[in-house]
Amino acid sequence: MKSYKELGLVNSREIFKKAMAGKYAIPAFNFNNLEQLQAIIMACVETKSPVILQVSSGARKYANANLLKNMAKGAVEFAHELGYDIPIVLHLDHGDSFELCQSCIESGFSSVMIDGSHLSYEENIALTKKVVDYAHQFDVTVEGELGVLAGIEDEVSAEHHTYTRPEEVEDFVKRTGVDSLAISIGTSHGAFKFKVKPGEAIPPLRFDILEEVQKRIPGFPIVLHGASSVPQDIVNEINQYGGKIENSAGVPEDQLRKAAESAVCKINIDSDGRLAMTAAVRKVLAENPSEFDPRKYLGPAREKLKELYKHKIVNVLGSANKA
Ligand code: G3H
Ligand code: 13P
Ligand code: ZN
């Protein structure tokens, strides 16, 4: 058993409390490789933002649990070396079983999500409570989910949204003891969030549901998944350099800004980072076909990623200077 405290990490309790009071959201950026982690830490140190390093079960399999733990430890030391200690959470994204959550907690995660959103209400409560009871023994915080996002949630496929039912949240929070709650208000995972024809407006998020949730559990930290904006300049760059990404659409940043000022304390962004890296790699390789040193294309990808994260922190989430 390796406690996250020995790695220099923190759980999400204090940073969510401050985010709620200060009307901003903490960035939760997914990572599975070195350059993504470097970009996240550099961006957060330069903007003095707290951060949630997020790892999906797929990412954990890809990167190796042992390596990840030591990368998170290294991230704490890297931030210190860059000259500013920021609060860093290591969080399991979309945990789908008690055993996975337990294994992550044992290997140094400071926060886990148990995603029982695809289960029946009572089964979701039972599974979430089991994880909470275990996690809280080690002062690890737990995120639960009510409502289903359209699209793919890791291995969980949801054809359509099932918006969160505000009338359930109070009971769910009380009976499970979760520390934060992910809700479904119209976002979805990936780069194709809305089916809109060119020129058509993207449908707004269901802020009415968010408001109703806030009324029922005042001051409780809410999480927004599927919050990439899918910047069209980045998509255009990918397509300009040989890619083929069509009909992509994301959540407009002004809506995320509005959400960050509410009880939404954590905003999950993965796809935008994937797009930024892909655009940079494609550009370098298209312009320099004889290049074969990975540092020559992953370096620019890391730089573009860092700029993207800084933009999100400063202009969208409002978490700059909150570390
Ligand atoms: O919500 C899902 C995240 O974007 C992680 O995706 O399962 O492909 O690592 P992944
Ligand atoms: P995006 O696909 O919109 O980046 O969402 C990521 C996410 O919710 C990770 O849990
Ligand atoms: Zn998610």
Side-chain angles (χ1 to χ4, degrees):
M1 175 90 193
K2 192 83 182 170
S3 167
Y4 67 86
K5 292 176 187 171
E6 292 168 54
L7 305 178
L9 301 164
V10 298
N11 67 24
S12 64
R13 199 165 292 125
E14 279 309 305
I15 59 172
F16 281 171
K17 210 181 278 175
K18 288 186 186 164
M20 181 72 71
K23 295 189 182 304
Y24 60 91
I26 311 289
F29 297 134
N30 290 66
F31 83 101
N32 52 56
N33 71 28
L34 174 70
E35 283 77 9
Q36 290 169 329
L37 185 59
Q38 288 174 318
I40 295 170
I41 297 301
M42 291 190 284
C44 292
V45 167
E46 284 177 29
T47 56
K48 297 193 165 79
S49 170
V51 69
I52 297 172
L53 299 173
Q54 201 157 252
V55 175
S56 69
S57 62
R60 195 163 183 258
K61 276 182 214 138
Y62 175 83
N64 179 272
N66 217 345
L67 266 178
L68 272 176
K69 174 181 68 191
N70 287 294
M71 283 172 87
K73 180 169 178 274
V76 173
E77 290 166 14
F78 181 42
H80 185 76
E81 191 185 311
L82 290 175
Y84 198 81
D85 292 316
I86 52 171
I88 300 177
V89 175
L90 181 62
H91 175 78
L92 169 67
D93 192 22
H94 294 284
D96 58 359
S97 68
F98 171 79
E99 290 72 23
L100 176 60
C101 293
Q102 183 180 34
S103 165
C104 285
I105 291 166
E106 282 172 358
S107 71
F109 281 59
S110 59
S111 177
V112 292
M113 174 189 193
I114 178 68
D115 181 355
S117 61
H118 54 291
L119 301 172
S120 73
Y121 180 67
E122 287 299 329
E123 286 169 340
N124 188 357
I125 288 187
L127 177 60
T128 305
K129 183 174 169 11
K130 188 174 175 191
V131 171
V132 169
D133 287 347
Y134 180 77
H136 282 182
Q137 294 177 69
F138 308 102
D139 205 17
V140 167
T141 40
V142 180
E143 175 184 327
E145 179 166 338
L146 263 183
V148 183
L149 273 65
I152 304 289
E153 293 210 359
D154 266 7
E155 270 103 58
V156 185
S157 169
E159 282 287 280
H160 304 289
H161 299 283
T162 308
Y163 294 118
T164 303
R165 291 157 49 84
E167 56 272 31
E168 289 177 349
V169 297
E170 199 181 346
D171 181 62
F172 185 84
V173 164
K174 206 185 289 170
R175 286 172 61 194
T176 58
V178 276
D179 302 282
S180 60
L181 182 68
I183 62 168
S184 172
I185 57 166
T187 61
S188 58
H189 292 105
F192 310 94
K193 298 188 192 301
F194 306 100
K195 285 194 176 70
V196 284
K197 298 194 182 82
E200 236 176 51
I202 286 170
L205 299 181
R206 293 287 306 271
F207 281 98
D208 56 319
I209 297 178
L210 174 59
E211 275 162 29
E212 198 52 42
V213 166
Q214 290 183 146
K215 261 189 226 154
R216 294 185 187 244
I217 42 173
F220 193 81
I222 302 299
V223 177
L224 212 55
H225 282 249
S228 276
S229 297
V230 190
Q232 290 302 300
D233 56 328
I234 296 180
V235 172
N236 291 342
E237 198 173 330
I238 292 176
N239 292 340
Q240 179 188 345
Y241 291 106
K244 196 169 190 293
I245 294 184
E246 290 167 343
N247 305 317
S248 61
V251 184
E253 288 186 338
D254 58 336
Q255 293 197 34
L256 296 170
R257 182 79 216 100
K258 186 174 162 188
E261 286 167 3
S262 73
V264 171
C265 290
K266 171 174 180 272
I267 289 191
N268 288 9
I269 298 172
D270 187 3
S271 297
D272 283 356
R274 297 179 181 195
L275 290 166
M277 283 194 96
T278 302
V281 171
R282 279 197 178 277
K283 184 171 191 292
V284 172
L285 294 180
E287 289 176 348
N288 308 277
S290 59
E291 187 57 69
F292 64 94
D293 179 346
R295 291 169 297 185
K296 294 288 169 32
Y297 49 85
L298 293 178
R302 180 177 68 191
E303 192 55 31
K304 197 170 176 76
L305 204 46
K306 184 179 94 173
E307 290 313 312
L308 173 92
Y309 289 146
K310 284 173 75 173
H311 162 70
K312 298 284 180 187
I313 289 166
V314 173
N315 303 314
V316 185
L317 309 192
S319 63
N321 298 312
K322 307 294 186 188

